[in-house]
Amino acid sequence: MQSLSIREASHAGSWYTDHGPTLTSQLQGWLEDAERDMAHLGEVPRPGARIIIAPHAGYAYSGPAAAWAYRMLDVSKAKRIFLLGPSHHLYLPGCALSKHTHYATPNGNLPLDQNTVETLRRTEQFKNLSASSDSSEHSLEMHLPYIHHLLSMSFKGQDFPPLVPILVGSTNPTIEKEFGALLAPFVADPANVFIISSDFCHWGSRFSYTYYLPASTTDPSEGVSLRSKDQPRDPPIHESIARLDKLAMTAIEHGQHADFLATLRDTGNTVCGRHPIGVIMAAIETLKSQRTSGDSSDQGKFHFIRYERSGDVVEGKDSSVSYASAFAVL
């Protein structure tokens, strides 16, 4: 048996509160607000909604947006939770697995599914994530309090479904297809839930991205890069950012992995979770290629239900980060 090894909640107390009761109150409040505001969307959680895309910024920025995805997530049949997030600090051409047995949150630990992690490790396609790289990465950690809270509500007095965290590096299209094919059987299994961690456009000189689409531009590849003193009005910069994000979200909703990658190439949009999104889209495409004629064509289709930004950029010297939440039913 593997000895106990806990990844501490390294971003608690800075990116989100480290006080458990306060954290519980915040998460529950955001979930209740989301449920009230999404009443027009129908039943929540959505039966069979086993995949979500949700942001991973500090909770003051993205906590409310993430609640929309988590409120849709159906964990009623879950036996394990896959969590895919992008690598922000470690150069990684593929994917990596944690060596820990548990991930900590201010409200308790989440166990890792050692059997599934070892099954993936035996494919020899995954790297091992060092403890320091694991600790420094926020794209996975920012989802852990939401996961713990949701499971606490759904599995009262029972053991939680264990976690399978996967850090996704700077993969290319071929590698994304390979990992998508590898994960496809897990996606097909109704016992598995997938959480995809991604913020959307990071706009501003501090992100080295100031791409702008004038209203007169119909080709997304024909935008221009703004200077700090620029202040266009047709449209304002924040509306151009929304247009860039909408192009990416529409490509995801259409479900074509290649089209999503082409949109990112055309615009350079800095969707930081583009590689985890690419892997899950490739996995869904693998399953669709195996689908029988009786299956619903809407299976595995993403639906974006929330979009917002950290601020509305007006001048070229400003910056913002976009947050979007989506779900898919399988």
Side-chain angles (χ1 to χ4, degrees):
M1 178 180 295
Q2 184 176 356
S3 59
L4 187 69
S5 174
I6 301 174
R7 179 203 181 277
E8 297 301 330
S10 57
H11 291 74
S14 54
W15 289 53
Y16 59 99
T17 181
D18 57 0
H19 184 249
T22 300
L23 181 59
T24 296
S25 178
Q26 286 179 342
L27 296 173
Q28 186 60 29
W30 290 329
L31 289 167
E32 290 174 357
D33 289 346
E35 183 171 2
R36 182 190 65 243
D37 293 342
M38 64 170 62
H40 63 289
L41 296 177
E43 186 176 0
V44 295
R46 183 63 52 84
R50 294 192 290 109
I51 307 178
I52 61 170
I53 298 172
H56 56 236
Y59 279 0
Y61 297 100
S62 71
W68 284 64
Y70 276 98
R71 198 64 195 90
M72 277 293 184
L73 186 63
D74 180 7
V75 298
S76 61
K77 299 178 181 178
K79 293 183 178 179
R80 64 192 60 80
I81 312 290
F82 284 77
L83 173 60
L84 279 65
S87 177
H88 287 88
H89 309 290
L90 173 69
Y91 173 71
L92 185 66
C95 297
L97 300 168
S98 177
K99 295 189 289 185
H100 290 298
T101 61
H102 294 76
Y103 274 7
T105 81
N107 284 314
N109 296 337
L110 290 166
L112 270 60
D113 187 338
Q114 297 303 314
N115 290 334
T116 301
V117 169
E118 186 56 32
T119 295
L120 295 176
R121 190 171 280 129
R122 284 198 298 267
T123 66
E124 299 184 349
Q125 300 302 307
F126 293 84
K127 302 292 185 182
N128 285 320
L129 191 58
S130 70
S132 60
S133 293
D134 207 340
S135 177
S136 64
E137 182 53 62
H138 68 273
S139 75
L140 301 176
E141 180 180 340
M142 297 307 295
H143 288 274
L144 303 180
Y146 259 119
I147 294 171
H148 189 281
H149 185 75
L150 195 63
L151 296 181
S152 295
M153 293 191 301
S154 302
F155 293 86
K156 295 181 175 67
Q158 304 176 47
D159 291 337
F160 287 171
L163 194 66
V164 184
I166 299 175
L167 192 66
V168 183
S170 299
T171 49
N172 62 39
T174 299
I175 291 177
E176 288 176 12
K177 289 180 181 179
E178 290 172 352
F179 278 101
L182 190 154
L183 292 176
F186 296 98
V187 176
D189 186 344
N192 296 324
V193 165
F194 281 76
I195 295 166
I196 311 302
S197 175
S198 181
D199 294 339
F200 274 69
C201 186
H202 295 55
W203 199 96
S205 58
R206 68 190 183 101
F207 301 117
S208 300
Y209 184 72
T210 58
Y211 199 69
Y212 174 78
L213 293 177
S216 58
T217 301
T218 58
D219 186 342
S221 67
E222 294 181 353
V224 297
S225 292
L226 298 183
R227 300 164 298 176
S228 61
K229 64 181 181 180
D230 290 337
Q231 195 172 338
R233 296 297 188 186
D234 189 22
I237 298 173
H238 59 86
E239 291 185 11
S240 170
I241 294 171
R243 183 179 171 192
L244 292 168
D245 281 326
K246 180 63 175 177
L247 289 167
M249 291 187 289
T250 298
I252 294 168
E253 288 182 328
H254 288 172
Q256 300 298 318
H257 180 220
D259 290 349
F260 172 59
L261 297 181
T263 297
L264 297 184
R265 284 195 301 271
D266 286 345
T267 64
N269 195 343
T270 47
V271 178
C272 67
R274 57 194 177 276
H275 299 301
I277 292 172
V279 168
I280 199 67
M281 291 184 73
I284 294 170
E285 279 192 343
T286 298
L287 295 179
K288 286 182 176 180
S289 70
Q290 303 166 352
R291 175 178 295 154
T292 63
S293 59
D295 288 333
S296 168
S297 61
D298 199 45
Q299 289 290 300
K301 175 180 171 59
F302 278 105
H303 304 271
F304 278 90
I305 53 175
R306 185 68 177 176
Y307 173 74
E308 56 194 69
R309 295 176 302 279
S310 60
D312 284 346
V313 173
V314 175
E315 298 182 70
K317 65 181 181 180
D318 298 334
S319 64
S320 74
V321 179
S322 303
Y323 311 116
S325 287
F327 72 94
V329 172
L330 286 169

